[in-house]
Amino acid sequence: MSVSGVAAPAVPSLSRRVSPATAVRNIGTLAWRNLVQIKHNPMELLDLSIQPIMFVLLFAYVFGPSMAGSVEAYLPVVIPGIIAQNALFAGMTTGFGLNTDITKGVFDRFRSLPIARSAPLAGRIIADTTKQAWSMLILLTVGFIIGFRIETGPLALLMAFLLLLSFAVLFSWTSVYIAMKVDDPEKVQIFGFVVIFPLSFLSTAFIPNTDRIPGPVAWVMDNSPVTQLVEAMRGLLVGGPVMEHALIALAWGVAISLVFAPLSLRAFKKRA
């Protein structure tokens, strides 16, 4: 329209595309947003701290004497196993948080903002990866207090952190996909208990080997991705074979992400 014959200036349309630098800033902002929520919900940090501590103490002092003869002898077996198991369960928090944001309408708010479309998802994954690093640090600290010792060195410890976080990020796509498909955050947790518990216990996470396990079950345990991750973690923390187990674990993680990442992104586009 025009007033007194003067045409009104055109209103520029907003573009949904942002530059790579802006996308990185958006991701960092939303990752920080997910981390500072702990200040307002300290129970989340307690969950990341108390549950790992309970697992370490229960397994070490209840199963240690019968499994290895003493608590000290069992710690090199169980600490890497609990670290791996805890990383898988922590990965479920990614899906739980995403589904909570979706069901509460937070994602609708993000969709209305001029930010990178990938920022909410990527920010959540980065924040939860940071929380997993915190959980691993807590487990190692508690293990050290009760007698666990790292027998390798700082570089091997750093490699253990990187391996664990890499596998956790790759595996977390399973929880992301579930989060996009269900309508209740509790259903993501149900998935965690139904899948993660059998997957972690059907491995060598809590036993040194499968020599006394029946043949078919032993085969499943020996070829489990969790077993490969645990054995690599043991090698990096207390000594032993590393490379083969680490490569197989990462191959499992890549295969899982190649299946669930495209499915998650497709579901994410439909919901967002």
Side-chain angles (χ1 to χ4, degrees), residues 4-242:
S4 302
V6 179
V11 177
S13 60
L14 293 177
S15 173
R16 296 305 299 269
R17 295 182 180 275
V18 298
S19 67
T22 301
V24 170
R25 288 197 300 270
N26 296 157
I27 292 171
T29 299
L30 291 181
W32 180 248
R33 168 244 179 195
N34 292 321
L35 289 174
V36 297
Q37 284 181 337
I38 295 175
K39 181 175 66 174
H40 306 289
N41 183 20
M43 288 302 298
E44 184 176 351
L45 185 61
L46 292 177
D47 288 341
L48 292 170
S49 305
I50 292 179
Q51 180 176 314
I53 293 173
M54 290 177 57
F55 268 73
V56 169
L57 297 179
L58 286 173
F59 276 91
Y61 287 98
V62 174
F63 296 107
S66 60
M67 293 290 291
S70 68
V71 173
E72 291 75 14
Y74 190 51
L75 289 177
V77 175
V78 74
I79 293 295
I82 293 180
I83 288 174
Q85 182 197 53
N86 189 69
L88 298 182
F89 275 109
M92 291 299 102
T93 63
T94 301
F96 184 88
L98 283 172
N99 190 270
T100 300
D101 283 346
I102 291 172
T103 54
K104 289 186 175 181
V106 177
F107 262 52
D108 291 335
R109 173 58 178 161
F110 288 152
R111 185 174 58 179
S112 67
L113 298 175
I115 62 175
R117 296 180 66 89
S118 61
L121 179 57
R124 170 65 63 177
I125 292 174
I126 291 174
D128 290 334
T129 301
T130 305
K131 296 173 185 177
Q132 290 174 12
W134 166 262
S135 293
M136 182 177 177
L137 182 61
I138 289 292
L139 287 168
L140 288 175
T141 301
V142 174
F144 185 84
I145 292 173
I146 63 177
F148 177 75
R149 295 295 180 267
I150 297 173
E151 303 293 341
T152 50
L155 180 59
L157 177 60
L158 176 61
M159 295 302 295
F161 264 98
L162 294 177
L163 173 63
L164 182 76
L165 297 181
S166 297
F167 185 87
V169 169
L170 294 170
F171 188 81
S172 68
W173 284 108
T174 58
S175 70
V176 172
Y177 177 68
I178 298 299
M180 295 298 168
K181 302 299 290 186
V182 301
D183 56 0
D184 193 333
E186 279 69 27
K187 293 181 180 179
V188 181
Q189 289 184 319
I190 293 173
F191 166 78
F193 282 101
V194 171
V195 176
I196 303 302
F197 251 105
L199 191 61
S200 59
F201 281 97
L202 282 174
S203 70
T204 59
F206 307 106
I207 59 176
N209 54 63
T210 58
D211 293 344
R212 298 182 180 181
I213 304 297
V217 179
W219 184 89
V220 172
M221 295 174 68
D222 288 335
N223 293 278
S224 165
V226 180
T227 291
Q228 303 303 322
L229 177 63
V230 169
E231 294 300 329
M233 293 291 294
R234 284 180 183 147
L236 289 167
L237 295 177
V238 298
V242 174

